[in-house]
Amino acid sequence: HSFPTRRSSDLTKSYSTRAMVERRLEHLKSGGFLIEEDGQIALLERGKALVRAFALARGFFKHRRSLDIGVAQHGESGQRSRP
């Protein structure tokens, strides 16, 4: 097989955190999950339903979010650690 070649700078740009988040937000907007207006992002009803579905699945499988774990590690201070 012949694999396409790319410059490392192209890869870095393609996989930068910012670029990945921007692409994901565009997909969510085009899918009707969220709207962006005046620099603010808000979930549409379809996005809220997806969040509820993930919360149910997380509860069913007893998975905790990393932010929840950070709060537990810091006790009552309420400070959240970043993973």
Side-chain angles (χ1 to χ4, degrees):
H1 286 275
S2 175
F3 294 103
T5 59
R6 296 182 78 175
R7 289 182 286 182
S8 63
S9 61
D10 291 339
L11 285 174
T12 302
K13 184 177 177 184
S14 294
Y15 292 100
S16 74
T17 301
R18 182 178 190 88
M20 290 171 64
V21 169
E22 287 175 353
R23 278 194 304 273
R24 185 63 182 143
L25 288 174
E26 287 303 317
H27 284 118
L28 291 169
K29 285 191 279 189
S30 67
F33 292 95
L34 60 85
I35 187 167
E36 184 176 6
E37 203 169 85
D38 297 327
Q40 300 293 312
I41 297 172
L43 287 174
L44 296 173
E45 193 54 43
R46 188 173 185 180
K48 291 176 186 177
L50 184 63
V51 169
R52 287 189 298 270
F54 274 105
L56 285 170
R58 191 174 48 246
F60 178 79
F61 291 108
K62 297 178 178 32
H63 288 182
R64 295 191 313 174
R65 298 178 308 172
S66 61
L67 289 177
D68 294 338
I69 294 167
V71 170
Q73 289 173 348
H74 284 87
E76 296 179 23
S77 70
Q79 295 292 320
R80 293 184 175 181
S81 64
R82 291 193 167 179

